[in-house]
Amino acid sequence: MQTSLAVLVGLPVAALAEPLAAVDAGSVIIVSALRTPTPVDTVASSLTVLNKKAIDASQAPVVSDLLVRTPGISFTRNGGYGTATSIRIRGAEGDQTVLVIDGVKLADPSSTGGGYNFATLMTGDIDQIEILRGPQSILWGSQAIGGVVNIVTATPDRALEASADIEAGSRDTVHARAAVGGRSGPVHWRVAGGRFTTDGISAISPRFGGKERDGYTNSTLNGRVSLALSPDVSIDMRGYYAKGRADIDSAGSVPDSPEYSLVEEWTGYAGLNADLFDGALHNRLGFSRSETVRDNINPLRLIRPESFAAKGQTDRYEYQGTLGLAQGWTIVFGAEREEQTMRSASPPNSLASYATIRASADIDSQYAQVRIEPVVGLTLNGGLRHDHHSAFGGNMVFGGGAVWSLFDDRTILRASYGEGFKAPTLYQLHSEYGNIALDPEKSRGWDVGVEQHLFDRKLILSATWFERNTDNLITYNGCPTSNRPPLCLAPGTTTPRAGYYANIQRSEAHGLEMAGLAHIGRLTVDGNYSWIVAEDRSPGLNFSNQLARRPRHAANATARYAWPFGLNTAVAMRWSGETIDTARTSATVTPFVNRAYTIIDLRAEMPVTQTLTLFARAENLFDDYYETARRYGQLGRSIYAGFRARL
């Protein structure tokens, strides 16, 4: 089915912003977030696809800055680049979003929620970003309650090719990347690397006493090679590495601190692919390992400068089969074993001994999902997944959906339902704030939407309604200084602790995502609006309160103009409504509120030759002050310029 990119991005079409005008009208987008190549117009879930043109046109150095401009997504960043960054889809917890890079799930079992910190993820050599909203646990298992962010890095198209980008700007920021790859007979290969460095801003806002700049450096390297042993058998190997150093400020009474954090991430994958029965059955055997090492160093600590150390590791063994039973009938099925380990320690600034927390867990899973096309234009899917957690036993989840293209693809209807299951993380169970009595989080969610193409697809409108209920949501609770409840004492002792993890009975989310796109000659205008109600529905002080750091209202808009002489210019707006910073802890104390804010960006790019493009941008043009988390500042007005070369 030939459709434009505007059709293929799913219901929130406008998320692609300015690059739409540059896409060939007959192009078809294939997504891999469903574990098998799938035309996006047969995906039942609400989906946004950002292709390479969209990524380049955004000029965003970090993935989180791209994601937050798409429908249903908000973020929290504790300062400038490199500081802790959480992505929330439809008001779900940040650790309920699964990140996948080239088919490998990235997560940190030693982190609080076991999820991924988006601080270190650069746009680098990414070729496509796919964002699936709503529960995706059938294919992606634990954590996929909010949704999935699927990253696909570039693959070579020619015998030899190369690319390079470099930019520089405010606060002595420099970002450079380069890649080279090729196809030679049965071998396809590509290697890419990048370096980002900035003097940054004070992580603690100047309004709260922060004065010195907190810099950030990031180095990345990724590569892939594929070897075809025969027409039906091939071997894939892929790897990703990132290392970051971020200056951080104390969250205590002294705002500025020389303390810094080190984060080192790497993941590796090796797989064997084999087709049987003339390609009707595709088999894949794979092994992957992801590892995250985190350290906090405080030079003012003369005895032990290291104040925190953690390591999380996940080994995953996989078998996946894709069976084409007949035209329009496909079954994806498989089995996985995931082994998680973590260690965590907070050494004191003395020679005294200290405890290192070590823990592990295993999850064995089986899944199957069928996709059928009973009539032309109608695609149905349904699936089951069974997880067996070494500490919490077995759990079954179900999901299904439908997408129906009507009137020569001018009207597209989508609907999906999904269930989620997320066991407490090793940190939530066994850390100094742990609670071994925690129950797993469980969710049920659905959405329904419509996309309408008008005036020969020069105007595209879409809307999606969603709902999600989550039971046993795990939250952190701070402890009072007096009248401490039992959980405010370290387990088995009378030693007070700062806080603990506990289940709240229930949270609910519902909302509306709307988007629009209009082509008017050389002008392309698009926008999206999200209304997300994500509330604590447990009896008590916070009943019916919006969950912390989640705006009820958010909007994005972009206007792009393609000048006759080749220049492309764009103005982009991002608006976020106010958020409550923390849950209510007392009937007499009002929670802090992070005010609403509006960010205006300008972008321009000009091709000099067929292979060289100059670009520049101004971010936060009017220097608006805002906070996504109380006391932590955000980047003010920033100006950058650079070039892209594609050889």
Side-chain angles (χ1 to χ4, degrees):
M1 185 178 299
Q2 298 295 308
T3 55
S4 71
L5 181 60
V7 178
L8 293 171
V9 295
L11 293 174
V13 177
L16 277 180
E18 59 272 11
L20 282 169
V23 178
D24 295 335
S27 62
V28 172
I29 298 297
I30 302 297
V31 301
S32 61
L34 299 185
R35 287 184 174 264
T36 185
T38 306
V40 73
D41 57 354
T42 65
V43 177
S45 297
S46 177
L47 172 70
T48 296
V49 177
L50 304 175
N51 65 4
K52 184 61 175 175
K53 289 184 178 180
I55 296 168
D56 283 348
S58 74
Q59 302 183 26
V62 295
V63 171
S64 58
D65 285 351
L66 269 168
L67 298 179
V68 76
R69 293 187 179 274
T70 63
I73 291 186
S74 62
F75 87 131
T76 301
R77 181 183 289 155
N78 292 356
Y81 289 125
T83 57
T85 304
S86 296
I87 293 294
R88 296 183 174 90
I89 300 179
R90 290 179 171 174
E93 296 295 319
D95 52 54
Q96 292 175 343
T97 296
V98 165
L99 173 69
V100 181
I101 298 181
D102 289 334
V104 179
K105 290 169 61 176
L106 266 68
D108 179 8
S110 70
S111 69
T112 302
Y116 182 79
N117 177 8
F118 279 82
T120 61
L121 186 58
M122 315 299 290
T123 50
D125 203 41
I126 294 175
D127 189 60
Q128 185 161 289
I129 302 174
E130 303 160 7
I131 307 160
L132 274 72
R133 286 172 285 273
Q136 306 293 330
S137 292
I138 302 301
L139 296 179
W140 294 109
S142 181
Q143 291 182 284
I145 289 174
V148 171
V149 176
N150 185 55
I151 302 290
V152 181
T153 61
T155 55
D157 294 321
R158 293 173 289 148
L160 183 64
E161 59 187 37
S163 64
D165 300 40
I166 187 167
E167 69 174 29
S170 299
R171 305 172 195 89
D172 293 328
T173 300
V174 178
H175 183 205
R177 59 160 295 276
V180 61
R183 305 167 73 100
S184 177
V187 179
H188 301 173
W189 63 277
R190 187 174 176 95
V191 178
R195 174 76 170 176
F196 179 90
T197 179
T198 181
D199 285 351
I201 60 172
S202 177
I204 295 295
S205 166
R207 298 192 181 189
F208 294 90
K211 296 180 180 179
E212 43 63 88
R213 289 186 173 184
D214 292 309
Y216 176 59
T217 59
N218 177 284
S219 301
T220 59
L221 180 67
N222 63 276
R224 60 193 305 160
V225 61
S226 175
L227 173 63
L229 302 178
S230 74
D232 298 321
V233 180
S234 64
I235 295 174
D236 287 330
M237 289 180 289
R238 303 187 286 269
Y240 170 81
Y241 173 83
K243 184 175 183 179
R245 181 191 189 277
D247 295 338
I248 56 177
D249 282 335
S250 169
S253 58
V254 178
D256 285 334
S257 165
E259 191 171 6
Y260 60 91
S261 68
L262 301 173
V263 179
E264 192 170 13
E265 304 169 341
W266 72 271
T267 181
Y269 170 85
L272 174 67
N273 307 287
D275 291 336
L276 301 175
F277 311 118
D278 294 326
L281 176 60
H282 176 75
N283 301 276
R284 179 175 64 86
L285 287 170
F287 169 76
S288 64
R289 169 174 290 181
S290 62
E291 184 175 293
T292 303
V293 178
R294 295 179 292 134
D295 297 278
N296 286 3
I297 308 297
N298 187 347
L300 296 180
R301 291 167 49 120
L302 300 180
I303 300 177
R304 280 199 178 107
E306 185 178 54
S307 60
F308 175 77
K311 177 183 178 181
Q313 178 177 305
T314 301
D315 291 343
R316 184 173 291 106
Y317 306 85
E318 303 177 79
Y319 165 75
Q320 179 185 308
T322 304
L323 177 62
L325 294 176
Q327 182 66 32
W329 288 68
T330 304
I331 298 177
V332 177
F333 58 95
E336 301 175 344
R337 177 174 174 82
E338 184 177 284
E339 300 174 350
Q340 299 179 346
T341 60
M342 65 88 77
R343 61 169 172 80
S344 179
S346 298
N349 187 25
S350 69
L351 297 178
S353 60
Y354 60 93
T356 297
I357 301 167
R358 302 179 187 274
S360 62
D362 304 329
I363 304 175
D364 295 309
S365 307
Q366 303 81 38
Y367 63 88
Q369 179 168 282
V370 61
R371 188 173 69 253
I372 65 173
E373 187 178 354
V375 297
V376 175
L378 176 63
T379 303
L380 308 174
N381 71 77
L384 295 169
R385 183 185 186 94
H386 181 267
D387 291 322
H388 186 275
H389 192 280
S390 56
F392 295 95
N395 184 80
M396 182 80 76
V397 294
F398 166 78
V403 55
W404 196 2
S405 298
L406 301 169
F407 313 119
D408 194 25
D409 295 340
R410 290 191 297 272
T411 301
I412 301 176
L413 306 176
R414 283 183 169 87
S416 67
Y417 169 83
E419 299 171 346
F421 167 83
K422 182 176 182 293
T425 66
L426 296 175
Y427 189 90
Q428 290 166 342
L429 291 169
H430 303 292
S431 73
E432 57 189 303
Y433 312 108
N435 179 4
I436 60 173
L438 291 172
D439 293 320
E441 299 172 341
K442 296 185 178 182
S443 74
R444 300 161 304 285
W446 61 271
D447 59 32
V448 60
V450 59
E451 179 179 316
Q452 185 65 54
H453 300 183
L454 302 168
F455 308 115
D456 196 25
R457 296 177 179 169
K458 289 183 172 59
L459 176 63
I460 302 174
L461 303 172
S462 64
T464 305
W465 177 267
F466 71 89
E467 295 190 8
R468 183 187 65 251
N469 297 323
T470 303
D471 296 324
N472 300 324
L473 182 68
I474 299 172
T475 62
Y476 175 80
N477 296 269
C479 287
T481 57
S482 60
N483 299 321
R484 293 175 175 269
L487 282 173
C488 283
L489 303 177
T493 73
T494 58
T495 303
R497 58 179 179 175
Y500 61 93
Y501 290 97
N503 296 107
I504 64 175
Q505 294 179 12
R506 186 181 181 86
S507 68
E508 294 181 0
H510 63 266
L512 179 66
E513 298 161 349
M514 297 189 297
L517 169 72
H519 292 291
I520 309 169
R522 293 182 173 274
L523 177 66
T524 300
V525 180
D526 71 81
N528 61 72
Y529 165 76
S530 302
W531 174 60
I532 299 175
V533 178
E535 296 180 340
D536 186 335
R537 305 300 293 180
S538 302
L541 291 173
N542 290 289
F543 180 79
S544 79
N545 285 351
Q546 183 84 348
L547 296 176
R549 298 178 179 176
R550 295 155 176 82
R552 284 184 184 262
H553 305 277
N556 296 276
T558 302
R560 177 184 177 89
Y561 190 79
W563 298 83
F565 53 89
L567 176 67
N568 288 292
T569 55
V571 56
M573 181 276 293
R574 176 164 61 90
W575 174 78
S576 173
E578 67 178 25
T579 63
I580 297 174
D581 192 71
T582 58
R584 183 182 289 273
T585 58
S586 168
T588 60
V589 178
T590 302
F592 292 113
V593 173
N594 301 314
R595 70 171 181 85
Y597 62 89
T598 302
I599 303 299
I600 303 295
D601 299 340
L602 299 179
R603 305 175 194 140
E605 61 178 47
M606 179 70 181
V608 178
T609 67
Q610 290 185 342
T611 60
L612 180 65
T613 299
L614 304 180
F615 63 86
R617 70 184 182 279
E619 297 181 346
N620 195 359
L621 182 65
F622 298 107
D623 204 25
D624 191 35
Y625 176 84
Y626 67 103
E627 299 173 11
T628 60
R630 180 170 167 76
R631 299 183 71 222
Y632 292 101
Q634 298 296 315
L635 292 169
R637 183 186 299 111
S638 307
I639 298 175
Y640 308 93
F643 70 86
R644 291 193 296 269
R646 303 289 184 261
L647 306 175

